[in-house]
Amino acid sequence: MYTHLHVHSHFSFGIGVSSPESLAQAAAERGFRALACTDTNGVYGVVEFIQACASVGVRPILGAHLVATGQEVVALATSEQGWGALCRAVTAIHWQNGSAVKQEGTPSMLSSLLASDREGLILLSRDIHFLEQVLRLSGPRDLFAELRPGKRRHAVLAAARRLGIPVVASNGVVAAHSEEWSRHRLLRAIALNTTLSL
């Protein structure tokens, strides 16, 4: 059975529109046995998410969508050690606050950080440069290429084959129900300080 491993709740400000409760309820109604919550650069809604999943009989998968220094990855915790690594990564991203300067030829902060501290984490990324760096620095264990809808998926699939790492299909879920899509578009326009395109 398919499990959504890249899901944004409304705790991903400017991206997600649904509450953890709404996401868990929608997953249960659709027959899902597990669901991830991967808000961007934070684990703000984890308590609400765990409680919501418990109330509808869905197993919660805890993680975060980490974005820093031009790289991105979905990190999923599989143990207490992984949860600690995830929290340290989130803290480091906020500590850096986008001020890390990448020198040509050196690994970015995010790939360096996770390559050295990823015990108990599963890493999914559509960022080819991130995948190459983590693979080079710490090997292929629990490293997956993330195939999301869009034009980039073909390049990501080709890179995964070249690098010899497995792929995972995801959607980057931003809402529990399709009728919430217009709210997501509005939030993105606000977050990007732009107008809605027709």
Side-chain angles (χ1 to χ4, degrees), residues 107-129:
S108 293
M109 183 270 290
L110 191 56
S111 55
S112 295
L113 175 70
L114 290 172
S116 64
D117 186 16
R118 67 181 179 117
E119 188 65 38
L121 286 178
I122 293 174
L123 304 177
L124 321 173
S125 184
R126 65 177 180 168
D127 183 329
I128 296 169
H129 188 60

Side-chain angles (χ1 to χ4, degrees), residues 104-180:
E104 193 62 37
T106 62
S108 293
M109 183 270 290
L110 191 56
S111 55
S112 295
L113 175 70
L114 290 172
S116 64
D117 186 16
R118 67 181 179 117
E119 188 65 38
L121 286 178
I122 293 174
L123 304 177
L124 321 173
S125 184
R126 65 177 180 168
D127 183 329
I128 296 169
H129 188 60
F130 174 88
L131 293 169
E132 291 171 337
Q133 288 185 335
V134 171
L135 181 66
R136 179 176 52 81
L137 293 169
S138 63
R141 179 184 43 86
D142 296 329
L143 181 65
F144 297 83
E146 180 187 19
L147 299 183
R148 274 193 262 163
K151 295 176 184 176
R152 291 174 54 188
R153 73 182 185 279
H154 301 293
V156 174
L157 180 59
R161 289 176 175 159
R162 174 177 52 84
L163 297 171
I165 59 174
V167 298
V168 171
S170 77
N171 284 326
V173 175
V174 296
H177 305 285
S178 60
E179 56 269 16
E180 295 177 310

